[in-house]
Amino acid sequence: MSPVDALLVVGGGPAGHAAALAFRAAGGTGPVRILSADEDPPYNRPPLSKDYLRGETGEDELPLSAEDGGPDTELDPDTDPDITVEVGESVIALDPAARTVDLASGRTLSYRTLVLAVGMEPVTLPVPGGDHPAVHTLRFLAQARALRGSAEDARTAVVVGSGFIGCEAAVSLARRGVSVTMVSPQDTPQEKRLGAEVGRRLAGWLDDEGVRLLGGRSVERIEDGRTVVLTDGSTLTADLVLAAVGVRPVTGFVQDAGVAVQEGRIVVDEHMRTSFPGIWAAGDAVLARNAAAGRHLAVEHWGEALAMGEVAGRQAAGDGTAAWSAVPGFWSEIGDRTLKYAAWGDGFDDVTVVDHAGGEPGAFTAWYARDGVLVGVLAHGADEDYERGGELVGEGAPARD
Ligand SMILES: Cc1cc2nc3c(=O)[nH]c(=O)nc-3n(C[C@H](O)[C@H](O)[C@H](O)COP(=O)(O)OP(=O)(O)OC[C@H]3O[C@@H](n4cnc5c(N)ncnc54)[C@H](O)[C@@H]3O)c2cc1C
């Protein structure tokens, strides 16, 4: 068995990256090891559906660095030889009492403190043929590479799902000259999450970009990875099919170890503490208590993965004050248009959409409220509203008229 790691991080995404950096920045000493099941060294995920898919940037621009956020410390083995990153290493079992993890490669590693930052994996479409190898999903660089490769020769594409990743990828493909049809069970994109009015605007953006939206339709089956049969009997045949239909946490080994997990997510408090001493968890895979919200939230944003990872790393280094209290923030780029969203993200009962004349064309802000209290803001071309709105949400300000 190798020497005991002072900090062992499972996951090479932003949460794991920030945890390792924060551990050092908070004075944590001793060997730090980051394990990633991914075969590629840690990279930025957001460009995979944007500039990388459009073919405007290459893989050389993807690697994660300290500039990608988190504490101001380089994650660089040259400057900190006691931080190692091991890729292609998957944890398959955890023993919290013995403080060890087993890897698929057959090794067992011991830790003093552990941060679980395992993130998500994309789900396949749960219909016959949905798991055909030719049907693309998009989470990992290897998947993005395959999708971009297919896009090079494709004339037509079907994108199933109208979430942020579906919308971003559809527009990126369209900008490459691919004729794109989007199929969504919702009438307009993001309708459930952001409301019908915002959904209508997003549908307009897709239309402007040449993406044909088939809303209110569901897929019945996929034949040969290329022919999409809808429940209304219509058929779409395309050179490329992308299923952007959601993700699930990869926490089977965590649950098996007896760590508290709810609907697949690792349950942590605002200090990112799991139900076992010496084990913290952060990022997309957690259900975390937010100190300002006063309740647990499931958040899948890059910036929050960094923020939660930082809390976990500082805690592991002995800084017991570190806590997650920021209002979760998210941005999305659909072609040239940017949406900025700051919200608790767990529901609203009222939305007020305000148009802004005179600035960026089509600029607007959507204010979300629940029980008379502001719970979110979504801004396009209105950065001040986004900044101020995030503060108001954090303060629990009353709903906008
Ligand atoms: C295409 C795309 C575009 C996106 N765009 C945006 C955006 O514009 N804005 C935004 O805010 N968010 C965006 N996101 C979401 C953002 O990428 C995630 O919120 C973020 O990556 C979550 O970070 P994480 O560290 O929790 O998990 P991940 O980034 O998923 O990393 C998890 C890591 O854990 C590893 N792992 C998993 N299981 C094991 C195991 N058993 N053993 C070892 N390693 C393991 C994985 O290999 C991976 O390295 C996007 C996501 C995608 C896929």
Side-chain angles (χ1 to χ4, degrees):
M1 203 185 286
S2 45
V4 176
D5 288 316
L7 172 65
L8 180 63
V9 177
V10 186
H17 184 77
L21 295 174
F23 179 80
R24 270 292 184 268
T29 56
V32 172
R33 190 193 309 259
I34 298 175
L35 298 172
S36 175
D38 209 307
E39 296 290 340
D40 289 295
Y43 51 87
N44 262 306
R45 235 174 262 295
L48 301 184
S49 50
K50 307 178 183 77
D51 37 313
Y52 176 79
L53 180 55
R54 292 196 294 267
E56 293 165 5
T57 54
E59 291 194 19
D60 53 326
E61 294 178 54
L62 292 176
L64 272 186
S65 71
E67 287 97 65
D68 296 310
D72 194 15
T73 313
E74 291 286 338
L75 179 61
D76 180 351
D78 292 339
T79 57
D80 189 342
D82 262 358
I83 294 182
T84 48
V85 181
E86 295 186 20
V87 297
E89 289 284 10
S90 189
V91 172
I92 53 168
L94 161 65
D95 184 339
R99 298 206 177 203
T100 59
V101 296
D102 294 338
L103 309 187
S105 58
R107 296 156 66 201
T108 296
L109 301 176
S110 293
Y111 61 83
R112 191 153 51 77
T113 60
L114 177 70
V115 172
L116 299 168
V118 291
M120 296 280 185
E121 65 182 5
V123 297
T124 53
L125 203 57
V127 299
D131 58 355
H132 190 285
V135 177
H136 292 273
T137 52
L138 181 55
R139 177 82 186 182
F140 304 111
L141 176 54
Q143 295 168 330
R145 217 178 263 138
L147 178 62
R148 182 167 139 155
S150 297
E152 268 159 25
D153 304 322
R155 283 179 300 110
T156 53
V158 172
V159 174
V160 184
S162 63
F164 278 124
I165 290 176
C167 288
E168 290 181 356
V171 169
S172 295
L173 290 168
R175 290 211 162 189
R176 297 185 66 118
V178 180
S179 170
V180 183
T181 302
M182 176 182 282
V183 179
S184 169
Q186 298 181 42
D187 287 336
T188 58
Q190 306 272 7
E191 197 170 316
K192 265 197 211 144
R193 184 182 193 173
L194 302 175
E197 174 57 26
V198 171
R200 198 183 56 71
R201 289 167 191 242
L202 295 183
W205 292 2
L206 293 178
D207 191 51
D208 290 347
E209 297 280 348
V211 174
R212 183 169 70 120
L213 173 65
L214 297 180
R217 318 278 183 94
S218 295
V219 176
E220 186 182 277
R221 64 180 188 280
I222 300 180
E223 293 168 359
D224 302 329
R226 290 186 44 185
T227 301
V228 180
V229 182
L230 305 185
T231 47
D232 65 8
S234 57
T235 294
L236 303 163
T237 299
D239 299 326
L240 179 167
V241 178
L242 168 65
V245 291
V247 286
R248 69 172 153 243
V250 278
T251 50
F253 77 90
V254 183
Q255 195 159 9
D256 291 348
V259 177
V261 167
Q262 201 175 308
E263 289 175 12
R265 292 176 191 264
I266 306 165
V267 182
V268 294
D269 65 8
E270 64 266 42
H271 304 298
M272 302 297 126
R273 293 185 295 208
T274 68
S275 55
F276 274 95
I279 305 179
W280 290 263
D284 281 11
V286 302
L287 181 64
R289 188 172 189 282
N290 182 292
R295 57 187 186 272
H296 281 75
L297 305 173
V299 177
E300 295 163 21
H301 307 340
W302 185 268
E304 296 318 304
L306 289 171
M308 289 189 233
E310 180 174 349
V311 171
R314 283 170 54 192
Q315 283 280 339
D319 174 3
T321 62
W324 182 50
S325 59
V327 177
F330 178 89
W331 78 100
S332 175
E333 285 167 30
I334 299 174
D336 296 330
R337 287 155 162 141
T338 302
L339 277 173
K340 295 185 178 178
Y341 180 55
W344 302 127
D346 57 352
F348 59 91
D349 57 27
D350 184 54
V351 55
T352 306
V353 181
V354 181
D355 286 302
H356 305 298
E360 187 176 330
F364 72 90
T365 304
W367 300 92
Y368 297 90
R370 189 166 69 192
D371 298 330
V373 174
L374 202 62
V375 292
V377 59
L378 177 84
H380 165 58
D383 285 358
E384 276 175 26
D385 279 359
Y386 167 72
E387 301 291 346
R388 182 70 191 123
E391 289 168 8
L392 291 170
V393 170
E395 292 162 11
R400 305 266 307 202
D401 294 330

